[in-house]
Amino acid sequence: MTLQAFSLQLDGQTASGLRRPGTGRRVLALHGWLDNAASFVPLLAHLPELDIVMLDLPGHGFSSHLPAGAGYTTPAAICHVLDVADALGWERFTLLGHSMGAGIASLTAAVSDRVERLVAIEALGGLRGPESETAQRLHDHVTASRTTNDRPLRVFPTLAAPIRARMMANQLSEANARLLVERGVCDVPGGYRWRTDRRLMLPTAIRLTEGQIDNLLQAIACPVQVIYASPAQAYYPEPQRSERLKHLRDGRLAVLPGTHHVHMERPAEVAELIVRFCA
């Protein structure tokens, strides 16, 4: 079926994304940090039956930036995901997440029994923060939040530079980098600039400890398929990332050779795992 753009109004804020209707399971897909709904487009050809809604999370893609004074926090993101499901009329659904989106998806599954299955790509439970870094992390967040940033955003005369930047930063092919960039920029006089809310670049105020993440993972009641790329990312190393699975009641792990955006670069192999899991 045809890929459709959509927008939902939630408490005065616009939640946008892409939808590919299908006759199979209802799947809500959550992208990674500074990505957007186009992150999941390469998978679609290999997932012909699933009814997939690919969301632009707040501050990303075509979705609204949060209003002044509102923070991009994990609890707010979880509530947003459930609000979107309400607006779609979905009481039960599967969550598919990549990176930051996988962290949000796994914590949503920990607190809501509406999630019937979870597919977590390149993250599970979110990034941890050692207790010894708590004060410094909060200090850095508060300082950065109170610093006025009036510098105009950079304008790119063509898409070549941002596409090249995404290719280098994320080891993406040109075609996949273009998918993310074309949905991640807007037209302005003189060219293009990023749509993304610059507040997403602020240091995270507080991170969960590994013990807190363990407790949340233990609360996930639904089946979970975790997909990691090898080699592991430096910020989410082995054996930490694989050991998290021991806290799941019903979890399974697949490791594929590839980069952080393995779902974009190896879509057929990732989709095969998803189809088998959702059968």
Side-chain angles (χ1 to χ4, degrees), residues 235-255:
Y235 59 80
Y236 191 38
E238 292 288 4
Q240 176 201 104
R241 67 174 191 168
S242 293
E243 287 181 347
R244 287 190 179 178
L245 274 84
K246 68 185 181 183
H247 298 286
L248 296 173
R249 304 183 200 180
D250 184 0
R252 65 228 65 195
L253 172 64
V255 180

Side-chain angles (χ1 to χ4, degrees), residues 18-247:
L18 300 168
R19 183 171 189 174
R20 202 286 311 279
T23 58
R25 286 187 183 273
R26 295 170 168 176
V27 178
L28 183 56
L30 310 178
H31 60 78
W33 181 58
L34 304 184
D35 288 349
N36 52 62
S39 172
F40 298 100
V41 169
L43 285 172
L44 296 182
H46 308 283
L47 299 171
E49 296 183 1
L50 300 182
D51 184 0
I52 304 181
V53 170
M54 298 161 283
L55 187 63
D56 288 330
L57 289 165
H60 298 79
F62 285 79
S63 289
S64 296
H65 296 184
L66 293 182
Y72 290 95
T73 66
T74 299
I78 293 170
C79 290
H80 183 75
V81 169
L82 296 174
D83 288 345
V84 168
D86 287 345
L88 292 170
W90 290 4
E91 179 57 32
R92 298 274 289 166
F93 52 93
T94 293
L95 280 176
L96 164 63
H98 169 247
S99 194
M100 178 189 74
I104 293 169
S106 53
L107 298 185
T108 302
V111 300
S112 174
D113 60 6
R114 295 172 62 182
V115 182
E116 58 187 11
R117 287 179 182 265
L118 167 65
V119 180
I121 303 173
E122 280 288 271
L124 181 65
L127 294 177
R128 72 182 181 95
E131 293 179 3
S132 60
E133 298 177 1
T134 303
Q136 187 62 52
R137 186 176 296 281
L138 184 58
H139 170 273
D140 292 346
H141 174 82
V142 170
T143 300
S145 298
R146 290 173 52 81
T147 301
T148 302
N149 187 356
D150 294 326
R151 291 182 301 170
L153 293 171
R154 180 181 176 184
V155 175
F156 302 96
T158 70
L159 292 181
I163 289 173
R164 187 167 57 251
R166 287 306 305 255
M167 290 173 67
M168 295 176 63
N170 301 121
Q171 298 174 280
L172 287 167
S173 67
E174 181 177 356
N176 284 332
R178 182 177 293 276
L179 277 175
L180 295 176
V181 169
E182 288 182 344
R183 191 168 180 83
V185 299
C186 58
D187 297 341
V188 295
Y192 308 89
R193 66 167 174 78
W194 295 111
R195 293 180 181 274
T196 311
D197 190 339
R198 67 175 73 192
R199 289 179 295 166
L200 290 163
M201 302 295 290
L202 291 173
T204 305
I206 295 176
R207 283 185 179 173
L208 298 172
T209 66
E210 197 67 32
Q212 289 173 315
I213 292 172
D214 293 347
N215 179 259
L216 287 161
L217 295 178
Q218 291 160 11
I220 298 176
C222 70
V224 182
Q225 172 68 68
V226 180
I227 303 172
Y228 290 148
S230 179
Q233 298 287 311
Y235 59 80
Y236 191 38
E238 292 288 4
Q240 176 201 104
R241 67 174 191 168
S242 293
E243 287 181 347
R244 287 190 179 178
L245 274 84
K246 68 185 181 183
H247 298 286

